[in-house]
Amino acid sequence: MNIGIEATSVYFPKGIETAADLSKKTGIPEQVIIEKFGLHQKHVSDDSMQATDLGIEAARPILSKIDPLSIDVVIYFGSPHKDYLVWSCAPKLQYELGTKNAYAFELMNVSSCFPIALKVAKDMLRSDEKIKNILLVGGCKESQIIDYDNPRSRFMFNFGDGGAAALITKNSTTSEILESSIITDGSFYEDVRVPAGGSKLFPSLETVKNRQHYIDVLDPSSMKERLDPVSIPNFERVIRQAVQNSGYSPQDIKVLLPLHTKRSMFRELLQTLQIPEENTVYLDHHGHMSALDPCIGLHFAQELGKLKNGDIAVAVSAGTGYTWAATALKWKTS
């Protein structure tokens, strides 16, 4: 049994916002958006496509090569900003993709979810002999919940839209999912959230008037003061532990697949791990798409020929709350 990622696919809506467009919206100089935010452009969906639709379109190429009826489980791992509140999107994915033999559910942990989804899928395949194929599907339309007039949400101005999918199988010829490492520091639980819409602040005319249905940061300076000292160390810790738990050393990492962050954090992480920038994928033409980034990075790494037989890759991400997660992979093809 070789549990691994057999295939990946991605989808991006046609709409594009460039750094120049964002500069006009935010008043931030275009070069600052490019150099500091690490963003030349991002894809933005129109009203005709929701997060689920983006995920469905991403999954279709995989299902054109495998019988949809052979999928045993469909797991949504994308953005919690979906078509509706208090609604599971997994049944929609299962139905629209024609995977009617599969049961479906959501796995939700904001931006940290892809490495966790890989671990969950691997553990399910290992523990249940009846499961052969699991389809991971994610969508993101978080460009819709940004208030560009709110300086507290400045670090989220790079949020973009897209879809990603991965087929996890028991007999993968492409890769092997190795071990994972996950850290949660719950002291950040209230720092980043959409204030209104839940049970704590139910929607009202006042919440709409006060623009409380956009993602916001409670106290940016306080969060930065607490987050900066632990962020890179926790990224480094989960990456090293995932690789070491897999029987390898950090020096064996050939490709790093991180979430999209500001360029300075990205470079600091690479310097800490002594990984060359050419051995990574940086989504400066797509932006940050919730949990999708490492999956999209993996897809691009394959297309760019960055992954060779025997290479060790690590999918790593972090999600507000805060959770850092990494899963190691061993590539199998030449």
Side-chain angles (χ1 to χ4, degrees):
M1 184 165 58
N2 180 69
I3 299 171
I5 302 172
E6 184 67 10
T8 58
S9 54
V10 300
Y11 176 82
F12 304 103
K14 293 179 180 178
I16 287 177
E17 283 188 348
T18 65
D21 296 329
L22 291 171
S23 178
K24 291 175 185 176
K25 281 187 175 184
T26 64
I28 300 170
E30 180 181 355
Q31 282 307 116
V32 172
I33 292 172
I34 293 171
E35 293 169 10
K36 293 192 175 181
F37 286 63
L39 192 68
H40 289 274
Q41 65 176 46
K42 62 181 181 179
H43 292 262
V44 175
S45 175
D46 62 19
D47 292 340
S48 69
M49 296 196 81
Q50 313 312 318
T52 51
D53 302 311
L54 297 167
I56 287 166
E57 290 306 311
R60 290 197 191 281
I62 292 176
L63 295 176
S64 69
K65 299 175 183 177
I66 182 174
D67 184 356
L69 300 181
S70 70
I71 302 297
D72 301 297
V73 185
V74 174
I75 302 175
Y76 177 78
F77 71 93
S79 169
H81 176 60
K82 303 170 295 182
D83 312 25
Y84 307 102
L85 282 171
V86 196
W87 176 74
S88 174
C89 70
K92 175 181 175 179
L93 302 177
Q94 185 258 18
Y95 178 77
E96 294 292 342
L97 291 171
T99 55
K100 67 179 184 180
N101 290 335
Y103 64 85
F105 65 92
E106 296 184 359
L107 188 62
M108 194 66 63
N109 211 43
V110 289
S111 298
S112 65
C113 202
F114 183 65
I116 298 172
L118 291 177
K119 173 177 170 52
V120 169
K122 175 189 173 182
D123 290 349
M124 289 179 69
L125 285 160
R126 178 185 284 168
S127 64
D128 190 336
E129 63 179 18
K130 297 184 296 297
I131 299 175
K132 302 290 192 297
N133 298 306
I134 295 178
L135 184 65
L136 304 180
V137 183
C140 180
K141 195 179 178 178
E142 292 192 0
S143 70
Q144 190 180 41
I145 55 172
I146 302 169
D147 182 356
Y148 290 107
D149 293 326
N150 179 4
R152 292 188 304 276
S153 62
R154 178 185 173 105
F155 84 94
M156 297 176 282
F157 289 173
N158 65 351
F159 282 13
D161 301 340
L167 175 64
I168 317 299
T169 71
K170 255 182 181 148
N171 298 296
S172 176
T173 60
T174 302
S175 68
E176 180 184 0
I177 299 172
L178 302 176
E179 298 303 315
S180 303
S181 177
I182 305 167
I183 297 171
T184 295
D185 181 345
S187 66
F188 296 94
Y189 75 93
E190 203 169 18
D191 284 286
V192 182
R193 70 279 186 274
V194 175
S199 63
K200 192 165 185 178
L201 190 58
F202 199 68
S204 66
L205 289 175
E206 186 176 357
T207 64
V208 174
K209 180 182 177 181
N210 293 334
R211 301 180 67 81
Q212 291 176 289
H213 294 268
Y214 295 91
I215 196 163
D216 199 2
V217 181
L218 190 65
D219 185 339
S221 59
S222 170
M223 186 178 78
K224 179 178 173 59
E225 183 179 322
R226 290 175 288 116
L227 186 60
D228 281 359
V230 300
S231 190
I232 291 294
N234 282 348
F235 270 123
E236 181 185 9
R237 181 178 161 193
V238 293
I239 291 167
R240 290 184 183 277
Q241 285 184 344
V243 173
Q244 289 166 351
N245 291 346
S246 304
Y248 295 91
S249 70
Q251 291 72 34
D252 293 317
I253 300 172
K254 292 294 168 51
V255 177
L256 188 69
L257 306 165
L259 83 164
H260 184 74
T261 65
K262 62 184 180 179
R263 198 175 292 275
S264 61
M265 177 176 283
F266 170 68
R267 287 177 172 159
E268 184 180 353
L269 179 60
L270 296 186
Q271 185 177 8
T272 300
L273 295 164
Q274 296 185 317
I275 295 175
E277 192 163 335
E278 60 266 24
N279 289 9
T280 66
V281 177
Y282 188 65
L283 300 173
D284 57 4
H285 281 69
H286 298 82
H288 175 49
M289 291 161 283
S290 190
L292 279 58
D293 296 2
C295 186
I296 292 170
L298 175 60
H299 186 79
F300 287 160
Q302 295 174 74
E303 289 190 331
L304 295 168
K306 290 179 181 285
L307 288 161
K308 297 178 173 57
N309 191 46
D311 281 355
I312 301 299
V314 179
V316 61
S317 201
T320 51
Y322 240 94
T323 295
W324 293 259
T327 295
L329 307 165
K330 185 174 183 179
W331 215 245
K332 290 289 186 180
T333 56
S334 57

